[in-house]
Coordinates of all heavy atoms in Angstrom, one line a residue:
A31 N 11.2 9.5 -11.3 CA 10.9 10.8 -12.0 C 12.1 11.4 -12.7 O 12.1 11.9 -13.8 CB 10.3 11.8 -11.0
A32 N 13.2 11.3 -12.0 CA 14.5 11.8 -12.6 C 14.9 11.0 -13.8 O 15.4 11.5 -14.8 CB 15.6 11.8 -11.5
L33 N 14.8 9.6 -13.7 CA 15.2 8.8 -14.8 C 14.4 8.9 -16.1 O 14.9 8.8 -17.2 CB 15.2 7.3 -14.3 CG 16.3 6.9 -13.3 CD1 16.1 5.5 -12.9 CD2 17.7 7.1 -14.0
F34 N 13.1 9.0 -15.9 CA 12.2 8.9 -17.0 C 11.4 10.2 -17.4 O 10.6 10.2 -18.3 CB 11.1 7.8 -16.7 CG 11.7 6.5 -16.6 CD1 11.6 5.8 -15.4 CD2 12.4 5.8 -17.6 CE1 12.2 4.6 -15.2 CE2 12.9 4.6 -17.5 CZ 12.8 3.9 -16.2
Y35 N 11.7 11.3 -16.8 CA 10.9 12.5 -17.1 C 11.0 13.0 -18.5 O 10.1 13.4 -19.1 CB 11.4 13.6 -16.1 CG 10.5 14.9 -16.3 CD1 9.3 15.0 -15.7 CD2 11.0 15.9 -17.1 CE1 8.5 16.1 -15.9 CE2 10.2 17.1 -17.3 CZ 9.0 17.1 -16.7 OH 8.2 18.2 -16.8
N36 N 12.2 12.9 -19.1 CA 12.4 13.4 -20.5 C 12.3 12.3 -21.5 O 12.6 12.6 -22.7 CB 13.8 14.1 -20.5 CG 13.8 15.4 -19.7 OD1 12.8 16.1 -19.8 ND2 14.8 15.6 -19.0
I37 N 11.9 11.1 -21.2 CA 11.9 10.0 -22.2 C 10.5 10.1 -22.9 O 9.5 10.1 -22.2 CB 12.1 8.6 -21.5 CG1 13.5 8.5 -21.0 CG2 11.7 7.5 -22.5 CD1 13.8 7.3 -20.2
T38 N 10.5 10.0 -24.2 CA 9.2 10.1 -25.0 C 9.1 8.7 -25.6 O 9.8 8.4 -26.6 CB 9.3 11.2 -26.0 OG1 9.5 12.4 -25.4 CG2 8.0 11.2 -26.8
N132 N 4.1 14.2 -18.7 CA 4.6 14.3 -20.1 C 4.1 13.1 -20.8 O 3.2 12.4 -20.3 CB 6.1 14.5 -20.2 CG 6.9 13.3 -19.6 OD1 6.3 12.2 -19.4 ND2 8.1 13.5 -19.4
A134 N 5.4 10.3 -21.3 CA 5.8 9.0 -20.7 C 5.3 8.9 -19.3 O 5.1 7.7 -18.8 CB 7.4 9.0 -20.7
T135 N 5.1 9.9 -18.5 CA 5.0 9.8 -17.1 C 3.7 10.4 -16.6 O 3.3 11.5 -17.1 CB 6.1 10.5 -16.4 OG1 7.4 10.0 -16.9 CG2 6.1 10.3 -14.9

Side-chain angles (χ1 to χ4, degrees):
L33 288 175
F34 297 116
Y35 184 81
N36 291 315
I37 293 173
T38 303
N132 62 14
T135 307

